[in-house]
Amino acid sequence: MNPGLLFDAVLVTVLLWVAWAALASRDLFRGIVLFIAFGLVLSMGWVRLGAPDVALAEAAIGAGIAGALLLATWARLPGKTEERPGDDLEGQERDHEQR
Amino acid sequence: MSTWLAALPWMVLAIAIPLLGALAAFVQPRRAQVIGLSFSFLTAGAAVGVVLDFITLGPQQHAVGGWGAPLGIDLVADGLSILMLGMSAVVGVAVSIYARAYFVPYPDKAPRFWPLWLFLWAALNALFQSADVFNLYVTLELMGLSAVALVALTGSGPALWGAMRYLLVSLLGSLAYLVGVALLYHAYGTVDLTLLAERADGGLQLAVPLGAMIAGLLLKTGLFPFHVWLPPAHGSARAPVSALLSGLVVKASFYLVLRLWFTFVPEGEGLPLLLGCLGAAAIFWGSIQALRQKRLKLLVAYSTVAQLGYLFIAFPLAGLEPQMAWSGSIYLALSHAFAKGAMFLAAGAIMTQGGHDEIDELDLVVDRMPLTLAAFALAGISLAGLPPSGGFVGKWLLLESAMAQGKGIWAAIIIVGGLLTATYVFRVLGFAFTRSEHHHERHEVPAAMEWTALLLALGAVLLGFVAPWALPLLDGVLP
Amino acid sequence: MNLLLLGIAAFLLLNLAAGLWRVMRGPTAADRMLAAQLFGTTAVAVLLLLAEGMAQPALRDVALVFGLLAAVAAVAFVQRVWSRGGGHDGH
Amino acid sequence: MSSASRPPGEPGLLLRAVLALLLLAAAAGVALALVAGQVAPGLSGAVAAALPDSGASNPVTAVLLNFRGYDTLLEMAVLTAAVVGVWSLGPAPRIRETEPSPVLLGMNSVLIPLAPLICAYLLWAGSSRPGGAFQAGAVLAAAGVLFIISGRRPAVHLPAAPMSWGIVAGLGVFLAVALAVMPGGRELLEYPRGLAGALILLVETAATVSIALILAGLFIGGRPEDEP
């Protein structure tokens, strides 16, 4: 099997899955982390499409600015100071539903 | 005109001058008002230069970078472009003079308004002159972003909410347009409109990108049922900004719909009929909502929804008499820019004077601001399509085109829509002539704010008289 | 040569996918963030392999930028998110 | 999940279904348009043919700064307008940064000086290989962000004037060059032969500074405090 094709198949699968997971995430913080991961994978996608210039721009923006911007924004959202960061929000949701 | 003036590259200057003005106003925030107003006059002068070049020399072309299509980008000024450029110049100058007086009490807003407005103007002038679908995307982005920022300038909660919604809609529309551009390049290997017109061969390869682009542009134009973002954005912005948004910005995306339509001339009856039906729905829905509003600016904003509907009535009528229907639609767009600009400026003056814009509390405003009320009434005449206004010419052309083809239903829609328009305009005028039970504090309104609105409204009426000279400019543009 | 490099790159990519499980599962924000940082390292390795495998030396620049800037998100997390929400000492 | 328990502002099931169907239809349309008919040869041939006259040997740079430089000029206007818009929202929020740990300071003293170096490298590389003003500016901006969030900064208290001049430099220089080449019967942005390479580098250098300041300015999220 063509190794390039194998790599691309894995890449596309991961890319689509990360995109979906980031969009569908109910936990905003998890969505942000997934978005950062999405930028990484997308950059490799640009490489495989033969667009190293775009990959470079995606690397610089995705790794450098976008992640920091989203995290800083998340930290400023109201109602965040009461919660410990990274508390198991899924667990909380479960509790909430049980109540 | 001396020769060196005539030799200046007006097409380029009409884009470069507002950009330079935006930069100057941004780095000199304390002098933003003076800089902004001066560059507004210069920009309008450059636009007049393009118009004069067109009248004396015919359609103009400028190959940026000297490469020419398909490698480079071409600028083109034809009859449709210069009508739009002229419209932006007149409305732009009036709004600029108005804004200089309007922003005196808001020293923190003025340094923000001028750079954004000049960026917006540059984007409009660039959009009207571009012959390259990708470059048009870039101009759409610049226009959308500065328009959103202008709405957010108000700073209040509802305005920020409206701006956010506007931003998302604007981005979605741009994205759909961009998908279309990518597909066109994929299929035909160029993004130049002239070359695309030669190479486009119909079929799915053309239909899908064209559909995506037009759908995106309709979203940005605010055609029913894509209008939901429009009243909050236009209604909560500062008065000069509302005038620019309703007068010019929605016309730019409509212009682009027309440009694409004239370039590719889609076949079939279905899409034109759909657009016409959406237009008719917009006329009724917008007018009824306008009648129900309590706040003056929201009434005017819903009136924009309704009047935009008229522009799309031309699509189902263009089958047999394309010249007449398209001329009517374009002329309506022009006169709506003047009239709606004047109406928002008048509403802003009334709001400045009374500190509110509740319609049933207008409280004999006619005694205190006769000029402003005259502006509102004259603008209303043009909107309702009463002779001899520009709105009358536009609606008459549409009506005649409908009657000539025996499509009486469209004629009926046009007439009923006009009656509804007259109703909500007279509702405002009625309250302006009656005393209110409550007492309101009164503020001084600068004279410049009153007479700019009046002159713009007079312009909307006078457009009716210049139609015999303006309409032939469209020869060669219409399909 | 080519086959081997791209094969290894695909394997690393699968590793990255496995790391996504940690992002999804958590349980703390730091777990998610650390997993994302690990992706950055993996991405550098993948890009260097691709640079050889695809004979595109320019991809090393991309890897370089990733390596340099991976720290930014981590610092933003530590300074703005973790230290503020009472991650260490609570309230 | 029943509709009663969904958070306010979230679309209902029907709306979601309609949106999903519309998106599926759009995706199917795009896929059909991609599959149907021929693929036209793009412009890469024309770009390659004109490359020797463009002043850059990297085709991407030649397209961005020469053949379609006008697009890039307007994109610089978009970026500048974005900052103007953010500044119009209000002064930058005051955020008391946490005292940085010694580890962070040690790391910064290595990373932050490296960034301008890489920035200069990417800018220079852009004329012949992947790189260029946007990438270089973004790297520099990232270093600025690192500096800001490390708590050892008065970045928000940076005087407005140098910042705003730096922000407009990119578009200003680009516009000045585009107009300055016109006398003598040339078109907008038509670089004189022989000068193209130097002018492109000049435009890119100014653009790098601006892009870095613009991106960092967007991160700061408001105007400097001494700005009226």
Side-chain angles (χ1 to χ4, degrees):
Chain A
M1 189 183 173
N2 185 350
L5 206 62
L6 172 73
F7 182 85
D8 290 349
V10 177
L11 187 67
V12 168
T13 316
V14 173
L15 189 63
L16 286 176
W17 190 67
V18 175
W20 173 252
L23 279 175
S25 173
R26 285 197 158 260
D27 175 358
L28 205 52
F29 185 84
R30 190 171 69 185
I32 290 172
V33 175
L34 284 167
F35 183 78
I36 295 173
F38 175 75
L40 284 168
V41 185
L42 184 62
S43 180
M44 288 184 246
W46 289 123
V47 166
R48 289 299 297 168
L49 286 170
D53 290 83
V54 188
L56 202 51
E58 176 66 42
I61 289 291
I65 317 272
L69 192 59
L70 289 174
L71 288 170
T73 312
W74 185 85
R76 290 193 62 202
L77 288 180
K80 280 292 163 292
T81 42
E82 271 83 7
E83 290 169 14
R84 283 165 53 88
D87 275 354
D88 188 0
L89 294 174
E90 283 165 285
Q92 283 181 358
E93 265 172 30
R94 240 176 282 125
D95 290 350
H96 189 72
E97 276 168 17
Q98 277 164 9
R99 256 181 265 146
Chain B
M1 189 157 54
S2 60
T3 44
W4 69 269
L5 261 181
L8 281 178
W10 293 113
M11 291 178 68
V12 170
L13 290 179
I15 301 162
I17 288 174
L19 284 179
L20 286 172
L23 296 184
F26 178 62
V27 291
Q28 294 287 326
R30 277 163 235 287
R31 269 170 274 173
Q33 292 261 54
V34 182
I35 294 172
L37 193 61
S38 328
F39 274 90
S40 300
F41 285 124
L42 289 174
T43 308
V48 170
V50 180
V51 174
L52 289 179
D53 269 358
F54 176 84
I55 291 171
T56 50
L57 303 167
Q60 299 287 301
Q61 191 163 7
H62 187 100
V64 179
W67 301 102
L71 191 56
I73 299 165
D74 283 349
L75 301 182
V76 168
D78 62 8
L80 184 54
S81 305
I82 62 137
L83 281 182
M84 293 288 152
L85 280 176
M87 168 189 89
S88 309
V90 177
V91 177
V93 162
V95 171
S96 297
I97 298 171
Y98 180 95
R100 163 136 169 72
Y102 179 91
F103 279 109
V104 167
Y106 310 102
D108 58 327
K109 303 284 184 202
R112 314 287 150 233
F113 169 79
W114 288 103
L116 290 170
W117 157 219
L118 287 167
F119 273 129
L120 178 65
W121 202 343
L124 289 169
N125 284 353
L127 192 150
F128 294 140
Q129 298 185 84
S130 180
D132 180 295
V133 281
F134 184 78
N135 182 248
L136 281 164
Y137 164 76
V138 182
T139 63
L140 275 178
E141 282 292 278
L142 182 58
M143 180 184 87
L145 194 66
S146 32
V148 167
L150 281 169
V151 174
L153 192 66
T154 309
S156 69
L160 288 178
W161 185 79
M164 191 67 196
R165 210 146 101 161
Y166 186 19
L167 175 70
L168 294 176
V169 164
S170 185
L171 285 177
L172 188 62
S174 298
L175 197 64
Y177 180 89
L178 187 60
V179 167
V181 173
L183 288 176
L184 280 181
Y185 181 70
H186 171 81
Y188 303 113
T190 181
V191 282
D192 181 75
L193 269 177
T194 322
L195 291 175
L196 278 173
E198 287 168 13
R199 296 183 192 174
D201 47 5
L204 213 54
Q205 268 194 317
L206 181 63
V208 172
L210 208 55
M213 291 161 98
I214 290 182
L217 292 169
L218 292 184
L219 193 61
K220 278 171 170 284
T221 312
L223 176 65
F224 182 92
F226 301 129
H227 67 282
V228 281
W229 58 269
L230 193 150
H234 290 199
S236 61
R238 300 262 165 192
V241 175
S242 306
L244 294 173
L245 295 181
S246 263
L248 302 180
V249 173
V250 288
K251 303 302 167 4
S253 42
F254 174 70
Y255 156 87
L256 204 43
V257 173
L258 285 187
R259 183 63 83 189
L260 292 174
W261 200 272
F262 296 167
T263 304
F264 297 106
V265 200
E267 289 164 14
E269 294 282 306
L271 187 58
L273 192 64
L274 176 70
L275 289 175
C277 288
L278 291 180
I283 294 175
F284 288 114
W285 179 254
S287 302
I288 290 165
Q289 288 297 319
L291 274 170
R292 294 181 53 211
Q293 295 307 311
K294 291 193 159 45
R295 283 187 45 217
L296 182 57
K297 282 187 73 182
L298 276 175
L299 178 146
V300 183
Y302 270 107
S303 151
T304 297
V305 174
Q307 300 299 319
L308 286 173
Y310 273 106
L311 306 182
F312 290 88
I313 297 288
F315 286 84
L317 296 180
L320 285 175
E321 294 269 2
Q323 285 274 345
M324 201 186 281
W326 292 128
S327 307
S329 179
I330 292 166
Y331 219 69
L332 266 184
L334 292 180
S335 51
H336 178 255
F338 282 54
K340 194 47 64 76
M343 234 179 206
F344 265 122
L345 295 186
I350 291 172
M351 215 168 156
T352 304
Q353 191 267 343
H356 73 96
D357 69 339
E358 301 285 328
I359 295 169
D360 46 10
E361 296 285 327
L362 282 178
D363 192 18
L364 275 181
V365 79
V366 65
D367 284 354
R368 278 162 279 128
M369 316 176 75
L371 289 182
T372 297
L373 215 65
F376 196 93
L378 284 176
I381 284 175
S382 182
L383 281 190
L386 300 178
S389 63
F392 167 73
V393 174
K395 284 186 185 175
W396 181 255
L397 285 169
L398 285 178
L399 212 64
E400 212 173 301
S401 157
M403 297 311 282
Q405 300 175 58
K407 295 183 172 173
I409 179 84
W410 296 109
I413 290 167
I414 293 167
I415 292 170
V416 174
L419 289 176
L420 284 170
T421 312
T423 316
Y424 60 71
V425 169
F426 280 114
R427 177 168 160 246
V428 174
L429 293 180
F431 279 111
F433 278 92
T434 46
R435 188 177 298 280
S436 128
E437 290 165 17
H438 308 92
H439 178 75
H440 294 283
E441 51 176 329
R442 281 153 197 183
H443 305 275
E444 195 73 10
V445 176
M449 282 170 64
E450 292 210 67
W451 61 257
T452 42
L454 184 62
L455 284 182
L456 208 50
L458 274 175
V461 175
L462 286 178
L463 265 181
F465 295 102
V466 299
W469 294 277
L471 285 174
L473 295 177
L474 288 170
D475 287 348
V477 180
L478 305 178
Chain C
M1 162 72 178
N2 203 335
L3 185 112
L4 182 68
L5 292 175
L6 280 170
I8 298 175
F11 175 70
L12 284 175
L13 207 56
L14 283 173
N15 271 306
L16 195 149
L20 281 172
W21 179 76
R22 201 22 99 190
V23 178
M24 298 301 285
R25 188 66 196 85
T28 70
D31 292 310
R32 303 187 207 273
M33 201 61 217
L34 269 175
Q37 288 296 302
L38 198 62
F39 294 170
T41 317
T42 315
V44 170
V46 171
L47 283 166
L48 289 174
L49 286 167
L50 287 179
E52 283 302 312
M54 294 168 67
Q56 281 214 13
L59 297 185
R60 291 196 197 106
D61 294 353
V62 186
L64 179 72
V65 170
F66 264 129
L68 179 72
L69 301 185
V72 178
V75 174
F77 172 73
V78 172
Q79 287 290 103
R80 289 271 170 101
V81 177
W82 188 252
S83 58
R84 260 149 225 268
H88 305 300
D89 49 5
H91 288 275
Chain D
M1 202 178 204
S2 72
S3 64
S5 64
R6 75 186 142 88
E10 206 158 292
L13 201 61
L14 183 69
L15 186 60
R16 282 189 192 199
V18 170
L19 283 177
L21 277 179
L22 275 177
L23 279 174
L24 275 178
V30 169
L32 270 178
L34 281 175
V35 180
Q38 83 286 8
V39 181
L43 289 169
S44 41
V47 169
L51 202 57
D53 297 332
S54 70
S57 57
N58 175 15
V60 176
T61 306
V63 169
L64 286 181
L65 271 300
N66 197 336
F67 306 139
R68 297 189 69 92
Y70 175 57
D71 277 341
T72 312
L73 188 138
L74 288 179
E75 285 290 359
M76 280 304 297
V78 172
L79 283 173
T80 314
V83 169
V84 182
V86 166
W87 283 24
S88 76
L89 293 175
R94 286 169 167 273
I95 294 172
R96 198 172 47 81
E97 297 292 353
T98 322
E99 192 59 26
S101 81
V103 181
L104 179 54
L105 290 179
M107 192 181 76
N108 277 358
S109 64
V110 177
L111 285 187
I112 292 183
L114 262 178
L117 202 66
I118 305 251
C119 164
Y121 164 68
L122 287 177
L123 178 60
W124 181 254
S127 68
S128 58
R129 51 191 285 187
F134 189 76
Q135 291 86 342
V139 168
L140 201 56
V145 169
L146 201 56
F147 188 65
I148 293 165
I149 51 185
S150 297
R152 287 289 166 97
R153 55 89 223 204
V156 177
H157 312 297
L158 194 80
M163 187 146 174
S164 55
W165 279 100
I167 285 170
V168 304
L171 180 57
V173 169
F174 206 159
L175 207 52
V177 167
L179 290 172
V181 297
M182 288 184 82
R186 269 185 293 268
E187 309 269 31
L188 183 77
L189 259 176
E190 187 176 352
Y191 305 117
R193 205 161 270 235
L195 276 177
L199 288 176
I200 286 179
L201 192 62
L202 172 70
V203 168
E204 284 215 282
T205 309
T208 303
V209 173
S210 291
I211 289 167
L213 281 171
I214 288 169
L215 292 176
L218 293 180
F219 182 81
I220 293 171
R223 61 174 173 264
E225 277 173 3
D226 62 334
E227 181 81 1

